[in-house]
C-alpha cells in the first residue's frame, strides 16, 4: 500500500492461512522464512529505494533517480509476485484439485486440454535456469491465456499479461524441504492451488 507520493510505504499482505496450513506441500518452516524474511526484505528494500528516489527527484538529481530504478523494479517485482503467490494458494483440504469450470473452459480452448497445459507449464517452469517464476497470464489484446517464464523477480506485467497464477522457483521457496528436486515441488503445488481465486483473477482480467 502506497501512503502518498512522497512517503512510500508498502507492507506485507495479510495471509489467509497459518504458516502450517499448506503442509505437507509447503512446510511451516519454509512458509515462515519465505514470508517473514524474503518477502519482508523485498518490501523493506522497495520502501528504502522509493524514499531515495523521491528525495533525488525533489532535488532534480536525475543520475541518482535513474540508478535506483533497477532496485525499484527488482524489489517491487518481488513484492508484487509474492503477494499474488500467497493469494492463489490454499490448504489442500480447501482446494478443488482441478481447475474451476471457467478456467477449465479457457485452458482447453487455448492449450487443447488441462493435461496439456499442465505438462507444458510443469516442464518449462522446472527447467528455468537459476531463479525465476513460471506464470499463467491473460493476454487482453489476443483474448487468450498464455504461459510465461521470467527470471529473477520481473513481474508478468512486463510481458503485457495479466497474472492469474505464478509458481516461485527461487531456491528459497522449496530447497529446505525438496532439496534439489524442483520438479517434485512444482508438481506438488498443483495440490494447493486456489482455483476459485485464480478464476476470479481471470474474470477480472477479461
Amino acid at each position: 500500500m502506497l501512503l502518498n507520493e512522497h512517503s512510500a510505504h508498502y507492507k506485507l499482505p495479510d495471509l489467509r492461512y497459518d504458516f502450517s496450513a499448506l503442509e505437507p506441500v509447503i512446510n511451516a518452516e519454509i512458509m515462515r522464512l519465505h514470508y517473514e524474511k524474503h518477502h519482508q526484505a523485498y518490501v523493506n528494500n522497495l520502501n528504502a529505494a522509493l524514499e531515495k528516489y523521491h528525495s533525488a527527484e525533489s532535488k532534480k538529481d536525475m543520475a541518482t533517480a535513474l540508478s535506483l530504478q533497477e532496485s525499484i523494479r527488482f524489489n517491487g517485482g518481488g513484492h508484487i509476485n509474492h503477494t499474488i503467490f500467497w493469494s492463489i494458494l490454499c490448504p489442500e483440504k480447501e482446494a478443488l484439485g482441478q481447475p474451476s469450470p471457467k478456467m477449465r473452459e479457457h485452458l482447453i480452448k487455448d492449450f487443447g486440454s488441462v493435461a496439456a497445459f499442465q505438462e507444458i507449464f510443469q516442464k518449462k517452469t522446472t527447467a528455468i535456469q537459476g531463479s525465476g517464476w513460471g506464470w499463467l497470464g491473460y493476454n487482453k489484446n489476443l483474448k487468450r491465456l498464455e504461459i510465461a517464464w521470467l527470471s529473477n523477480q520481473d513481474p508478468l506485467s512486463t510481458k503485457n499479461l495479466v497474472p492469474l497464477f505464478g509458481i516461485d522457483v527461487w531456491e528459497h521457496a522449496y530447497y529446505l524441504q525438496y532439496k534439489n528436486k524442483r520438479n517434485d515441488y512444482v508438481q506438488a503445488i498443483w495440490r494447493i492451488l486456489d482455483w476459485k481465486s485464480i478464476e476470479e483473477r481471470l474474470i477480472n482480467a477479461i
Side-chain angles (χ1 to χ4, degrees):
M1 175 181 177
L2 185 61
L3 297 185
N4 62 62
E5 62 178 330
H6 299 298
S7 179
H9 184 70
Y10 288 86
K11 63 180 183 178
L12 286 177
D14 293 331
L15 293 180
R16 297 180 290 121
Y17 39 77
D18 296 332
F19 291 134
S20 62
L22 303 183
E23 292 185 340
V25 175
I26 302 177
N27 67 35
E29 181 183 15
I30 287 179
M31 277 298 302
R32 184 179 294 278
L33 287 170
H34 201 168
Y35 178 79
E36 292 185 338
K37 302 299 182 183
H38 292 280
H39 192 170
Q40 184 67 69
Y42 293 125
V43 171
N44 293 344
N45 293 333
L46 174 61
N47 287 333
L50 286 172
E51 289 289 354
K52 292 176 182 177
Y53 180 88
H54 292 316
S55 176
E57 192 176 39
S58 68
K59 298 173 184 176
K60 301 188 184 304
D61 182 355
M62 182 64 70
T64 298
L66 289 173
S67 72
L68 290 163
Q69 290 185 5
E70 183 176 351
S71 178
I72 293 171
R73 177 187 174 115
F74 178 78
N75 291 292
H79 177 45
I80 290 169
N81 293 343
H82 284 86
T83 298
I84 295 171
F85 188 51
W86 309 133
S87 76
I88 56 86
L89 301 179
C90 68
E92 189 171 3
K93 63 183 179 181
E94 298 175 13
L96 296 175
Q98 59 183 355
S100 48
K102 192 171 187 66
M103 278 300 307
R104 175 178 291 275
E105 175 187 334
H106 280 264
L107 288 170
I108 292 172
K109 177 176 71 71
D110 295 327
F111 298 100
S113 69
V114 174
F117 155 70
Q118 289 181 315
E119 182 179 357
I120 296 169
F121 190 97
Q122 178 85 24
K123 182 178 180 180
K124 295 293 187 178
T125 300
T126 300
I128 290 174
Q129 294 186 351
S131 302
W133 291 73
W135 289 98
L136 176 67
Y138 183 74
N139 187 320
K140 286 191 171 186
N141 293 326
L142 299 179
K143 301 185 186 308
R144 59 166 290 136
L145 301 178
E146 294 184 11
I147 302 172
W149 302 276
L150 285 84
S151 299
N152 299 315
Q153 292 296 349
D154 287 351
L156 192 58
S157 59
T158 60
K159 297 290 187 180
N160 294 317
L161 297 174
V162 179
L164 302 183
F165 80 82
I167 296 181
D168 185 352
V169 290
W170 280 64
E171 286 190 345
H172 65 238
Y174 65 88
Y175 203 83
L176 285 176
Q177 184 174 354
Y178 292 88
K179 307 306 180 190
N180 63 328
K181 297 179 180 178
R182 179 189 278 181
N183 186 67
D184 290 353
Y185 157 73
V186 177
Q187 183 67 47
I189 289 289
W190 298 112
R191 292 158 46 191
I192 56 172
L193 285 183
D194 184 349
W195 285 108
K196 291 181 180 179
S197 176
I198 294 168
E199 182 175 81
E200 288 177 4
R201 298 184 69 85
L202 173 64
I203 292 171
N204 290 333
I206 294 175

